[in-house]
Amino acid sequence: MKAAIVNGAGETPVYADFREPQADDHHVVVRVKAAAISQLAKARAAGTHYSSAIAHPFIAGIDGAGYLSSGEPVYFLAFSSPWGSMAERTLVAAQAIVPLPATLDPLIAAAIANPGMSSWAALTRRAHLRKGETVLINGATGTSGNLAVRIARHLGAGKIIATGRNLQALEKLRTEGADITLTLDQLPTELPALMEQGIDVVLDYLWGQSALDIMLSAVAGGDKVVRFVQIGSLSGQEISLHSKLLRSSGLTLMGSGLGSVSNTELLASIGEFLQAAALRDFSISFRQRPLSEVNVAWSEDDSRCRTVFTL
């Protein structure tokens, strides 16, 4: 069969032949319909993600949508090395499969599941969002942050503050559920007053200086409890975090991702999100490409328009 194969750490996947998967007592074969490029898929292929201890060669991709031998449409996570999602067929752990609603297009499911799961899991499993609470989404102009605005509203957030660099994208977010938008440059001056009014949950997709600015504002906000959930690090992997930020305030710092949320809870989060997506519009911009073009399309930026490979 054909697949997108990673032959070495940091190498771009190539479209080539790979052996056929064989089902066993714990795994099923999925006929893949669509699989999207994600930051996680890229990082695992590059060998830079903390979950990427994988022997080469292996099939790229960590999730997708397809069909069981019965014809049932499913979404799946593909972490059973070397079986990634970007192949005509792949091997998936039986417990890593979520049924797809009949009304949800598998291509749309493949496009939205990973970015949607990041905020759904963070809000429901880590922050335990309560209806009416105020949510700040740091880095809301990318695909995941954009979805997070709509998901937070769907889950009952009372007020949503969105931050980012792109002014045009921030303005558009006001039509999609954001009540207040701030550029990253405005955080040091504008956020302390908003923190005084009350911010309950922060979803952080950036880390870096903007995350530190938010935490400093949380300290200035007094003893109010702020649940800060770290999800992504597009602005850098490390910051200089003074211990007093945690000792002198109600700031609670946690992460959300592989390891901090169990695989069982991640699958449950994805299932809940996809069921919701069948009832309301959580669509995002994506471009459709045949898997045979993986070598060219792999390096394309997917921060605002995802690439979904089809088979």
Side-chain angles (χ1 to χ4, degrees):
M1 68 170 185
K2 293 295 186 182
I5 303 169
V6 180
N7 288 305
E11 294 186 16
T12 300
V14 295
Y15 185 69
D17 291 315
F18 202 84
R19 67 183 185 274
E20 288 278 354
Q22 301 294 325
D24 57 33
D25 291 343
H26 304 289
H27 299 80
V28 298
V29 174
V30 175
R31 176 168 57 88
V32 182
K33 174 64 177 177
I37 296 179
S38 64
Q39 293 298 329
L40 175 55
K42 283 186 173 182
R44 282 171 64 86
T48 58
H49 193 264
Y50 62 83
S51 68
S52 58
I54 307 172
H56 298 91
F58 65 88
I59 298 171
I62 53 94
D63 68 332
Y67 302 93
L68 302 179
S69 58
S70 64
E72 179 186 359
V74 295
Y75 169 84
F76 63 90
L77 290 177
F79 289 127
S80 300
S81 180
W83 305 103
S85 60
M86 296 178 182
E88 292 181 303
R89 290 166 293 281
T90 193
L91 196 67
V92 179
Q95 67 269 25
I97 288 174
V98 175
L100 276 185
T103 57
L104 187 61
D105 186 327
L107 268 70
I108 294 176
I112 67 174
N114 182 272
M117 171 270 293
S118 70
S119 56
W120 194 284
L123 288 169
T124 62
R125 267 66 181 182
R126 300 296 283 157
H128 300 288
L129 178 70
R130 295 182 287 270
K131 289 187 183 299
E133 289 190 315
T134 296
V135 177
L136 185 152
I137 299 165
N138 189 38
T141 56
T143 298
S144 297
N146 180 293
L147 266 177
V149 171
R150 286 177 279 164
I151 287 171
R153 183 65 73 198
H154 174 77
L155 292 173
K159 181 189 293 183
I160 298 172
I161 303 167
T163 77
R165 294 185 179 89
N166 188 302
L167 282 170
Q168 184 177 1
L170 284 172
E171 189 62 32
K172 188 173 183 293
L173 285 173
R174 286 182 172 272
T175 69
E176 298 178 351
D179 300 290
I180 299 170
T181 58
L182 299 173
T183 65
L184 300 188
D185 291 338
Q186 290 177 306
L187 289 177
T189 56
E190 302 293 329
L191 194 57
L194 293 173
M195 198 67 74
E196 282 285 350
Q197 297 172 25
I199 293 175
D200 303 290
V201 175
V202 175
L203 300 188
D204 173 45
Y205 285 94
L206 300 180
W207 206 230
Q209 184 60 46
S210 61
L212 189 57
D213 288 339
I214 292 168
M215 286 187 270
L216 288 169
S217 294
V219 172
D223 60 359
K224 296 181 178 67
V225 175
V226 179
R227 285 116 65 202
F228 187 108
V229 188
Q230 213 297 302
I231 303 173
S233 51
L234 291 175
S235 291
Q237 298 289 346
E238 297 181 1
I239 61 174
S240 179
L241 183 64
H242 199 291
S243 60
K244 72 178 181 181
L245 288 177
L246 299 178
R247 293 199 310 269
S248 63
S249 72
L251 179 66
T252 300
L253 184 60
M254 68 191 86
S256 184
L258 297 177
S260 57
V261 181
S262 70
N263 288 346
T264 299
E265 288 301 317
L266 283 178
L267 263 295
S269 296
I270 293 169
E272 293 165 7
F273 171 58
L274 293 177
Q275 289 294 327
L279 300 175
R280 68 169 289 173
D281 182 17
F282 285 122
S283 60
I284 61 173
S285 297
F286 69 91
R287 61 175 67 88
Q288 184 177 330
R289 300 284 292 269
L291 185 61
S292 58
E293 297 179 4
V294 63
N295 189 260
V296 175
W298 188 255
S299 61
E300 293 179 354
D301 179 26
D302 66 346
S303 63
R304 294 193 183 92
C305 182
R306 303 196 82 199
T307 297
V308 178
F309 293 120
T310 57
L311 300 104

